Amino acid sequence: MLPETFKHTIHGVHGENGDVWIRGLPDRLAGWEEKYGIKIGNFYPMTFHFVAEVTLYGGEEAVIKAGLPADKELINEKNALAVFGKGTGMIKLLEDHTDEGFLLLEKAVPGTILSDSMKDEKAVAAAAGVMEEIRADDWDSKHFPHLSDWFKGLERAEDIPERYIKKASVVVKELLSEMHHPTLLHGDLHQNNILSHHGVWKAIDPKGVIGEKEFETAVFCRNYLFDKHHPFAVLQNRLSLFEKAAGLNLDKMIRWGYCGAVLSACWCKEDHMPCADENLKLADLYEKLL
Ligand SMILES: Nc1ncnc2c1ncn2[C@@H]1O[C@H](COP(=O)(O)OP(=O)(O)O)[C@@H](O)[C@H]1O
Ligand SMILES: [Mg+2]
């Protein structure tokens, strides 16, 4: 039985196509089990994709991740995994079946997520370490979107107060014109996308976007923030820790943080998810630092 929240999210993001995909999923999974001699096990907590434990034909434990056919996100993820797989900070891609809508991935064991179960300082240090390890030198720009593509989302904004869009558009233009050494970023490096694997932290779920490193911290800084007593102090502390641990430019992190929060608010509206207000609250915190 697929969780109701998952069905709801898939409907929000993909509409009718998502409903059709969900209805056909059990048969599709059974077909892959048969065709590839795999056995699908327990589900992981799911948001945008079907993710579960799987036993491969040789008995090896792995993870299956499935999305809608021709799902651009899954294809991007495959391309990003192929690049980052040359480093040591990312879970490996075992098999690419994106033509049929799924990937087989190395399984993180025990796979504990870098949530707020540990002190924030330690979590930031771990994330900074993963950022170092997934550094990519050799990538083909035609396979990946650029941050300038992502930020076109500001133009599609609906129901977001104009002042946020105006300010983010100005700041992002400046940031893009100052970006001289673009690199391939994970693009969604938050606490739930960093898992423990035999005592080492590894990233999963890369989006693969061309940009600069200071953008990468924005997603991490946003997560597990408003559950804290003093979100503003926690945000400032995280930024300062990233500055020290990863040698990042504080001013750029703040500016990307503001723009990233506004863009996320736009995406929340687009995907019919109830996270826009929180992202705008975050933009307000960043604005105090701009
Ligand atoms: N390779 C893996 N090893 C262990 N657990 C995984 C792995 N990939 C995903 N998971 C689990 O599944 C959850 C959802 O996977 P994720 O790839 O982040 O999906 P989504 O694209 O929906 O965010 C993760 O937070 C993690 O708990
Ligand atoms: Mg994820």
Side-chain angles (χ1 to χ4, degrees):
M1 272 295 271
L2 295 166
E4 286 304 316
T5 48
F6 175 59
K7 293 185 194 170
H8 189 75
T9 305
I10 293 294
H11 175 79
V13 177
H14 301 285
E16 177 63 21
N17 284 347
D19 298 340
V20 171
W21 179 72
I22 287 278
R23 280 199 294 276
L25 191 56
D27 281 350
R28 209 167 301 119
L29 295 175
W32 294 334
E33 285 187 313
E34 171 98 16
K35 180 170 174 188
Y36 295 100
I38 58 179
K39 184 87 200 93
I40 295 168
N42 294 327
F43 305 162
Y44 286 106
M46 294 185 266
T47 320
F48 299 108
H49 295 94
F50 172 83
V51 190
E53 295 177 328
V54 66
T55 309
L56 304 185
Y57 38 83
E60 186 189 348
E61 292 296 314
V63 168
I64 180 167
K65 178 163 182 174
L68 271 70
D71 176 350
K72 277 210 301 245
E73 291 237 346
L74 204 62
I75 294 170
N76 250 353
E77 176 167 347
K78 172 207 66 170
N79 288 333
L81 284 167
V83 173
F84 290 125
K86 293 175 197 146
T88 56
M90 184 79 67
I91 280 297
K92 304 279 182 225
L93 173 65
L94 299 180
E95 287 181 27
D96 164 24
H97 296 281
T98 41
D99 52 340
E100 291 178 85
F102 74 99
L103 300 174
L104 293 176
L105 305 164
E106 179 186 21
K107 180 182 179 180
V109 180
T112 316
I113 59 171
L114 181 63
S115 65
D116 61 344
S117 58
M118 60 162 65
K119 278 241 180 305
D120 228 52
E121 281 78 10
K122 276 195 169 173
V124 172
V130 169
M131 275 175 71
E132 282 293 311
E133 295 300 318
I134 59 176
R135 190 151 293 191
D137 300 318
D138 186 17
W139 43 275
D140 188 341
S141 59
K142 74 172 181 292
H143 284 145
F144 299 101
H146 191 279
L147 281 180
S148 58
D149 300 312
W150 279 19
F151 276 94
K152 287 190 185 124
L154 294 175
E155 295 158 22
R156 301 191 300 267
E158 277 176 25
D159 272 355
I160 303 282
E162 191 58 29
R163 68 183 180 89
Y164 290 103
I165 303 297
K166 272 197 178 142
K167 183 161 202 135
S169 305
V170 170
V171 177
V172 94
K173 204 167 161 203
E174 288 166 6
L175 282 163
L176 289 171
S177 70
E178 291 165 24
M179 196 197 293
H180 299 307
H181 301 290
T183 181
L184 187 67
L185 303 175
H186 178 291
D188 198 22
L189 193 63
H190 59 68
Q191 293 82 337
N192 296 359
N193 281 343
I194 301 178
L195 309 180
S196 67
H197 186 42
H198 301 305
V200 181
W201 292 108
K202 299 267 183 183
I204 59 163
D205 196 15
K207 298 280 168 281
V209 62
I210 300 164
E212 64 183 345
K213 285 173 292 171
E214 280 80 2
F215 176 81
E216 194 84 296
T217 56
V219 182
F220 185 97
C221 289
R222 176 169 72 230
N223 245 17
Y224 296 107
L225 184 65
F226 288 103
D227 57 353
K228 303 286 189 298
H229 290 307
H230 302 290
F232 187 50
V234 173
L235 176 64
Q236 283 178 293
N237 196 39
R238 285 179 180 174
L239 292 168
S240 142
L241 288 166
F242 270 123
E243 186 186 19
K244 287 185 211 121
L248 298 175
N249 179 296
L250 181 61
D251 170 61
K252 276 188 192 281
M253 280 192 284
I254 292 168
R255 290 191 288 155
W256 278 121
Y258 178 84
C259 299
V262 177
L263 180 65
S264 292
C266 297
W267 285 346
C268 293
K269 291 280 185 193
E270 259 182 50
D271 291 345
H272 309 101
M273 292 181 71
C275 43
D277 289 347
E278 191 167 286
N279 276 294
L280 295 180
K281 242 165 70 182
L282 176 63
D284 292 340
L285 297 187
Y286 274 114
E287 196 170 16
K288 294 200 232 175
L289 299 169
L290 278 176

